[in-house]
């Protein structure tokens, strides 16, 4: 169909989708979304690298999917070979939404407009550990005692004969998952293996979109840079959604990560293969470090003390490797070698790497080692690729400034890079109120946590529950919880290692209060009245660690480093936290920042305000209560009270 002016026809297609067909189906026309999709198409057409900070409610997913399909049809009209578009995200939830919600609707729209004759095809690609190994599954089914298993877990295990992707099977136990997943070394040789068939199918040239996570994207890029077999099909453009997560994924892929599950999995492998003495020896010597890694990371805990716990484990792994290493199955040998190499690295150190610890999404601790110059690696394996790349997120810019993100990813100074900010269409001045206390709790005060708990309780009472309190550390969260109990008469939940279970309870209990930290800052949504009060006790400044110390070396003064790195990272994290409350156009919320450094007139007031949308300010509890009374239905005020 693109015959006279293929480029203009591609842009005309975007206009018709968003200005005619979508509105006819009851979807609002948003000028910012249309402009964003046009810009994304130009990025693909011109082989640029473009950064797009898209506010909540813009509709960036439809924007890049429509641009991607226009680009694919443009290439076909130009007689170019078919190549899919890769979409990389950081979350399985977004991958499923793209596959099950966005693409089916866009398919209907494109067929209605006569651009395509069959639905859009897409495939989700993941690492091996997400898929079922048929041989391991049958072995597990033979050995499992179904009379003693949890009924839901038993049904989940049995259902794997009909499901290849284990993420599609709720209630599957982690124990079963580890025993039936495709091992790192897949050597079954079975031509009927569902995983091998899936891989073969994924490389068929019939999928317009290949959807993966950032780790798999980087693994593919590393393979290509080393002239190894590619993991993903050759593609014509790349979309990186949730782009703010790319730097951390890169630190993992260009480094080494160690967690308690890695050690536990090796112990289980040894037991499964009947090396019981080796398994018990490994379990005993690794006990202290496994217990520490199973707990949430405490920033105050010295990294050196954690590394000392690995010394005995290191000796034990070397001994086991010498005695039985060659007798293990190939999969267990691979796991043993990887574990021994990781533990040795953390024990022996490496002058070219930076060592640090961080909380993971499960609420426990990861030990991490990464290369000191991450940007050079990203440039070499990813940014030098010749196709267009769309990087988008709601939190990769501070205001309209992308400098921090470009420096962190190695894109600063790249002449292919363009950038754009699309502001959220939500009416924050009408639907939000930003609260700063007149007399905020003073952190240096000996009774700080008592004063903080009293302020939090007063806010919860003024807004009638429905509150999320986001802390910057587990220690602070625990201290406030101990003091808050008894001060409020609303159900109180506290973030634990079983985050999903706690969050489901919170969502199912209208009017309740959740104290949280870690991944909740950016990983979960609370639309509607669930969170009508967001409390941020302290600004989320990054904690000093080895990574920060290394980066500090590149700046002439501490003040320059704080201005260029510390404040922008705080602003981005604050922006992410704010996004937990306002998820839809009709959401209403009070946002309370209790940090004494951020109150009007203080040092970080301007930085905090710049990070957030334009909202009305107040320091009055009564004004806050009046606001809530004006925007909430009567039933809201009957929820939650004990």
């Amino acid at each position: 169909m693109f015959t006279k002016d293929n480029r203009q026809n591609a842009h005309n297609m975007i206009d018709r989708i968003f200005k005619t067909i979508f509105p006819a189906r009851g979807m609002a026309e948003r000028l910012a979304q249309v402009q964003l999709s046009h810009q994304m198409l130009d990025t693909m057409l011109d082989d640029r690298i473009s950064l797009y900070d898209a506010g909540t409610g813009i509709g960036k997913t439809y924007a890049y999917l429509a641009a991607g399909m226009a680009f694919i049809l443009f290439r076909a009209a130009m007689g170019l070979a078919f190549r899919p578009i890769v979409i990389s995200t950081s979350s399985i939830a977004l991958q499923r939404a793209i596959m099950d919600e966005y693409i089916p609707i866009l398919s209907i729209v494109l067929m209605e407009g006569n651009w395509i004759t069959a639905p859009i095809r897409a495939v989700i690609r993941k690492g091996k550990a997400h898929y079922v190994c048929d041989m391991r599954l049958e072995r597990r089914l033979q050995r499992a005692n179904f009379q003693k298993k949890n009924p839901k877990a038993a049904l989940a295990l049995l259902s794997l004969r009909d499901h290849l992707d284990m993420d599609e099977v709720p209630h599957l136990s982690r124990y079963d998952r580890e025993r039936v997943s495709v091992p790192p070394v897949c050597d079954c040789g079975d031509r009927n293996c569902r995983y091998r068939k899936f891989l073969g199918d994924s490389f068929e040239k019939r999928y317009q979109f290949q959807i993966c996570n950032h780790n798999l994207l980087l693994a593919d890029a590393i393979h290509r840079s080393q002239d190894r077999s590619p993991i993903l099909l050759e593609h014509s453009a790349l979309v990186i959604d949730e782009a703010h997560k790319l730097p951390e994924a890169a630190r993992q892929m260009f480094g080494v990560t160690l967690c308690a599950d890695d050690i536990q999995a090796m112990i289980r492998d040894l037991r499964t293969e009947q090396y019981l003495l080796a398994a018990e020896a490994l379990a005993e010597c690794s006990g202290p470090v496994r217990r520490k890694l199973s707990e949430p990371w405490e920033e105050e805990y010295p990294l050196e003390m954690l590394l000392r716990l690995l010394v005995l484990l290191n000796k034990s792994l070397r001994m086991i490797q010498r005695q039985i290493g060659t007798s293990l199955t190939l999969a267990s040998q691979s796991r043993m070698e990887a574990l021994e190499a990781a533990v040795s690295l953390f024990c022996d150190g490496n002058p070219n790497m930076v060592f640090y610890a961080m909380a993971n999404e499960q609420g426990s601790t990861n030990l991490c080692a990464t290369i000191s110059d991450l940007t050079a690696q990203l440039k070499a394996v990813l940014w030098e690729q010749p196709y267009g790349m769309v990087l988008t997120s709601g939190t990769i810019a501070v205001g309209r400034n992308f400098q921090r993100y470009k420096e962190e990813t190695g894109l600063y100074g790249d002449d292919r890079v363009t950038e754009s900010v699309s502001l959220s269409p939500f009416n924050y001045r009408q639907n939000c109120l930003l609260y700063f206390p007149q007399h905020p709790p003073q952190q240096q005060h000996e009774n700080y946590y008592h004063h903080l708990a009293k302020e939090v309780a007063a806010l919860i009472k003024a807004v009638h529950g429905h509150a999320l309190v986001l802390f910057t550390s587990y220690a602070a969260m625990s201290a406030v919880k101990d003091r808050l109990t008894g001060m409020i008469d609303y159900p109180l939940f506290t973030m634990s290692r079983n985050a999903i279970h706690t969050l489901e309870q919170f969502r199912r209990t209208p009017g309740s209060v959740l104290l949280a930290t870690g991944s909740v800052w950016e990983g979960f949504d609370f639309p509607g009245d669930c969170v009508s009060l967001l409390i941020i006790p302290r600004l989320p400044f990054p904690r000093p660690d080895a990574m920060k110390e290394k980066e500090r070396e590149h700046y002439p003064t501490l003040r320059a480093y704080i201005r260029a790195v510390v404040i922008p990272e705080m602003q981005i994290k604050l922006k992410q936290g704010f996004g937990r409350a306002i998820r839809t156009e009709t959401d209403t919320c009070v946002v309370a920042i209790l940090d004494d450094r951020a109150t009007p007139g203080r040092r970080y007031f301007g930085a905090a305000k710049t990070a957030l949308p334009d909202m009305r300010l107040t320091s009055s509890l009564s004004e806050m209560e009046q606001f809530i009374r004006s925007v909430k239905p009567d039933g809201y005020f009957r929820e939650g009270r004990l």
Side-chain angles (χ1 to χ4, degrees), residues 345-380:
L345 174 64
F346 286 109
C347 286
D348 300 337
N350 184 319
N352 298 316
M353 302 192 80
V354 179
F355 297 85
Y356 63 102
M358 62 174 289
N360 58 34
E361 293 184 354
Q362 288 71 45
S364 49
T365 296
N366 282 352
L367 266 175
C368 306
T370 192
I371 55 174
S372 56
D373 190 1
L374 178 68
T375 59
Q377 291 292 328
L378 281 172
K379 286 179 183 178

Coordinates of all heavy atoms in Angstrom, one line a residue, residues 345-380:
L345 N 35.3 -15.5 43.2 CA 35.5 -14.1 42.8 C 35.2 -13.1 44.0 O 36.0 -12.2 44.2 CB 34.5 -13.7 41.7 CG 34.4 -12.3 41.2 CD1 35.8 -11.8 40.7 CD2 33.3 -12.1 40.2
F346 N 34.2 -13.4 44.7 CA 33.9 -12.6 45.9 C 34.9 -12.7 47.0 O 35.2 -11.8 47.7 CB 32.5 -12.9 46.4 CG 31.4 -12.4 45.5 CD1 30.6 -13.3 44.8 CD2 31.1 -11.0 45.4 CE1 29.6 -12.8 44.0 CE2 30.1 -10.5 44.6 CZ 29.3 -11.4 43.9
C347 N 35.5 -13.9 47.1 CA 36.5 -14.1 48.2 C 37.8 -13.5 47.8 O 38.5 -12.9 48.6 CB 36.7 -15.6 48.4 SG 35.4 -16.3 49.4
D348 N 38.2 -13.6 46.5 CA 39.6 -13.2 46.0 C 39.6 -11.8 45.6 O 40.7 -11.1 45.6 CB 40.1 -14.1 44.9 CG 40.1 -15.6 45.4 OD1 40.2 -15.8 46.6 OD2 40.1 -16.5 44.5
G349 N 38.4 -11.3 45.1 CA 38.4 -9.9 44.6 C 38.9 -9.8 43.2 O 39.5 -10.8 42.6
N350 N 38.8 -8.6 42.6 CA 39.2 -8.4 41.2 C 39.4 -6.8 41.1 O 38.4 -6.1 41.2 CB 38.3 -8.9 40.2 CG 38.8 -8.7 38.8 OD1 39.3 -7.7 38.4 ND2 38.6 -9.8 37.9
P351 N 40.6 -6.3 40.8 CA 40.8 -4.9 40.8 C 39.9 -4.2 39.7 O 39.8 -3.0 39.7 CB 42.3 -4.7 40.5 CG 42.7 -6.0 39.9 CD 41.8 -7.1 40.5
N352 N 39.5 -5.0 38.7 CA 38.7 -4.4 37.6 C 37.2 -4.4 37.8 O 36.4 -4.1 36.9 CB 39.1 -5.1 36.3 CG 40.5 -4.9 35.9 OD1 41.1 -3.8 36.0 ND2 41.2 -6.0 35.5
M353 N 36.8 -4.9 39.0 CA 35.4 -5.1 39.3 C 35.0 -4.3 40.5 O 35.9 -4.1 41.4 CB 35.0 -6.5 39.4 CG 35.3 -7.3 38.1 SD 34.5 -9.0 38.1 CE 32.9 -8.6 37.6
V354 N 33.7 -4.0 40.6 CA 33.2 -3.3 41.8 C 32.3 -4.3 42.5 O 31.4 -4.9 41.9 CB 32.4 -2.0 41.4 CG1 31.9 -1.4 42.7 CG2 33.3 -1.1 40.7
F355 N 32.4 -4.4 43.8 CA 31.6 -5.3 44.6 C 30.6 -4.6 45.5 O 31.0 -3.6 46.2 CB 32.5 -6.2 45.5 CG 33.5 -7.1 44.7 CD1 34.7 -6.6 44.2 CD2 33.1 -8.4 44.3 CE1 35.5 -7.3 43.5 CE2 34.0 -9.2 43.6 CZ 35.2 -8.6 43.1
Y356 N 29.4 -5.1 45.5 CA 28.4 -4.4 46.4 C 27.2 -5.4 46.6 O 27.2 -6.5 46.1 CB 27.8 -3.2 45.7 CG 27.1 -3.4 44.3 CD1 25.7 -3.4 44.3 CD2 27.8 -3.7 43.2 CE1 25.1 -3.7 43.0 CE2 27.2 -3.9 42.0 CZ 25.8 -3.9 41.9 OH 25.2 -4.1 40.7
A357 N 26.3 -5.0 47.5 CA 25.2 -5.9 47.9 C 23.9 -5.0 47.6 O 23.9 -3.8 47.7 CB 25.2 -6.4 49.3
M358 N 22.8 -5.7 47.3 CA 21.6 -5.0 47.1 C 20.4 -5.9 47.4 O 20.5 -7.1 47.3 CB 21.5 -4.5 45.6 CG 21.5 -5.6 44.6 SD 21.2 -5.0 42.9 CE 19.5 -4.6 43.0
A359 N 19.2 -5.3 47.7 CA 18.0 -6.0 47.9 C 17.5 -6.5 46.5 O 17.5 -5.7 45.6 CB 17.0 -5.2 48.6
N360 N 17.0 -7.7 46.5 CA 16.4 -8.1 45.2 C 14.8 -8.1 45.3 O 14.3 -7.6 46.4 CB 16.8 -9.6 44.9 CG 16.5 -10.6 46.0 OD1 15.5 -10.5 46.6 ND2 17.4 -11.6 46.1
E361 N 14.1 -8.4 44.3 CA 12.7 -8.3 44.2 C 12.0 -9.2 45.2 O 10.8 -9.0 45.5 CB 12.2 -8.5 42.8 CG 12.6 -7.4 41.8 CD 12.0 -7.6 40.4 OE1 11.4 -8.6 40.2 OE2 12.2 -6.7 39.6
Q362 N 12.7 -10.3 45.7 CA 12.1 -11.2 46.6 C 12.2 -10.7 48.1 O 11.7 -11.4 49.0 CB 12.7 -12.6 46.5 CG 12.3 -13.3 45.2 CD 12.9 -12.8 44.0 OE1 14.1 -12.5 43.9 NE2 12.1 -12.6 42.9
G363 N 12.9 -9.6 48.2 CA 13.1 -9.0 49.6 C 14.3 -9.6 50.3 O 14.5 -9.3 51.5
S364 N 15.1 -10.4 49.6 CA 16.3 -10.9 50.2 C 17.5 -10.2 49.6 O 17.3 -9.1 48.9 CB 16.4 -12.4 50.0 OG 16.2 -12.8 48.7
T365 N 18.7 -10.7 49.7 CA 19.9 -10.0 49.3 C 20.7 -10.7 48.2 O 20.8 -11.9 48.2 CB 20.9 -9.9 50.6 OG1 20.2 -9.1 51.6 CG2 22.2 -9.2 50.2
N366 N 21.2 -9.8 47.3 CA 22.1 -10.3 46.2 C 23.5 -9.7 46.5 O 23.6 -8.5 46.8 CB 21.6 -9.8 44.8 CG 20.5 -10.6 44.3 OD1 20.1 -11.7 44.8 ND2 19.9 -10.2 43.2
L367 N 24.5 -10.6 46.4 CA 25.9 -10.1 46.3 C 26.2 -9.9 44.8 O 25.9 -10.8 44.0 CB 26.8 -11.2 46.9 CG 27.2 -11.0 48.4 CD1 28.0 -12.2 48.8 CD2 27.9 -9.7 48.6
C368 N 26.7 -8.7 44.5 CA 27.0 -8.4 43.1 C 28.4 -8.0 42.9 O 29.0 -7.3 43.7 CB 26.0 -7.2 42.7 SG 24.3 -7.5 43.0
A369 N 28.9 -8.4 41.7 CA 30.2 -7.9 41.2 C 30.0 -7.5 39.8 O 29.5 -8.3 39.0 CB 31.3 -9.0 41.4
T370 N 30.4 -6.3 39.4 CA 30.2 -5.8 38.1 C 31.5 -5.1 37.6 O 32.3 -4.6 38.4 CB 29.0 -4.9 38.0 OG1 28.7 -4.7 36.6 CG2 29.2 -3.6 38.6
I371 N 31.6 -5.0 36.3 CA 32.7 -4.2 35.7 C 32.6 -2.8 36.1 O 31.5 -2.2 36.3 CB 32.8 -4.4 34.2 CG1 31.4 -4.0 33.6 CG2 33.1 -5.8 33.8 CD1 31.4 -4.0 32.1
S372 N 33.8 -2.1 36.3 CA 33.8 -0.7 36.7 C 33.3 0.2 35.6 O 32.7 1.2 35.9 CB 35.1 -0.3 37.2 OG 36.1 -0.6 36.2
D373 N 33.6 -0.2 34.3 CA 33.2 0.7 33.2 C 32.0 0.1 32.5 O 32.2 -0.5 31.4 CB 34.4 1.0 32.3 CG 34.1 2.1 31.3 OD1 32.9 2.6 31.3 OD2 34.9 2.4 30.5
L374 N 30.9 0.2 33.0 CA 29.7 -0.4 32.4 C 29.4 0.3 31.0 O 28.9 -0.3 30.1 CB 28.5 -0.2 33.3 CG 27.1 -0.7 32.8 CD1 27.1 -2.2 32.7 CD2 26.0 -0.3 33.8
T375 N 29.6 1.6 31.0 CA 29.2 2.4 29.8 C 29.9 1.9 28.5 O 29.3 1.8 27.4 CB 29.4 3.9 30.0 OG1 30.8 4.1 30.3 CG2 28.6 4.4 31.1
A376 N 31.2 1.5 28.7 CA 32.0 1.1 27.5 C 31.4 -0.2 27.0 O 31.4 -0.4 25.8 CB 33.4 0.9 27.9
Q377 N 31.0 -1.1 27.9 CA 30.4 -2.4 27.5 C 29.1 -2.2 26.7 O 28.8 -2.8 25.7 CB 30.2 -3.3 28.7 CG 31.5 -3.8 29.3 CD 32.2 -4.8 28.4 OE1 31.6 -5.5 27.6 NE2 33.6 -4.8 28.5
L378 N 28.2 -1.3 27.3 CA 27.0 -1.0 26.6 C 27.2 -0.4 25.2 O 26.5 -0.8 24.2 CB 26.1 -0.1 27.4 CG 25.4 -0.8 28.6 CD1 24.7 0.3 29.5 CD2 24.3 -1.8 28.1
K379 N 28.1 0.5 25.1 CA 28.4 1.0 23.8 C 28.8 0.0 22.8 O 28.4 -0.1 21.7 CB 29.5 2.1 23.9 CG 29.1 3.4 24.6 CD 30.3 4.3 24.7 CE 29.9 5.6 25.4 NZ 31.1 6.5 25.6
A380 N 29.7 -0.9 23.3 CA 30.3 -1.9 22.4 C 29.3 -3.0 21.9 O 29.3 -3.3 20.7 CB 31.5 -2.6 23.1

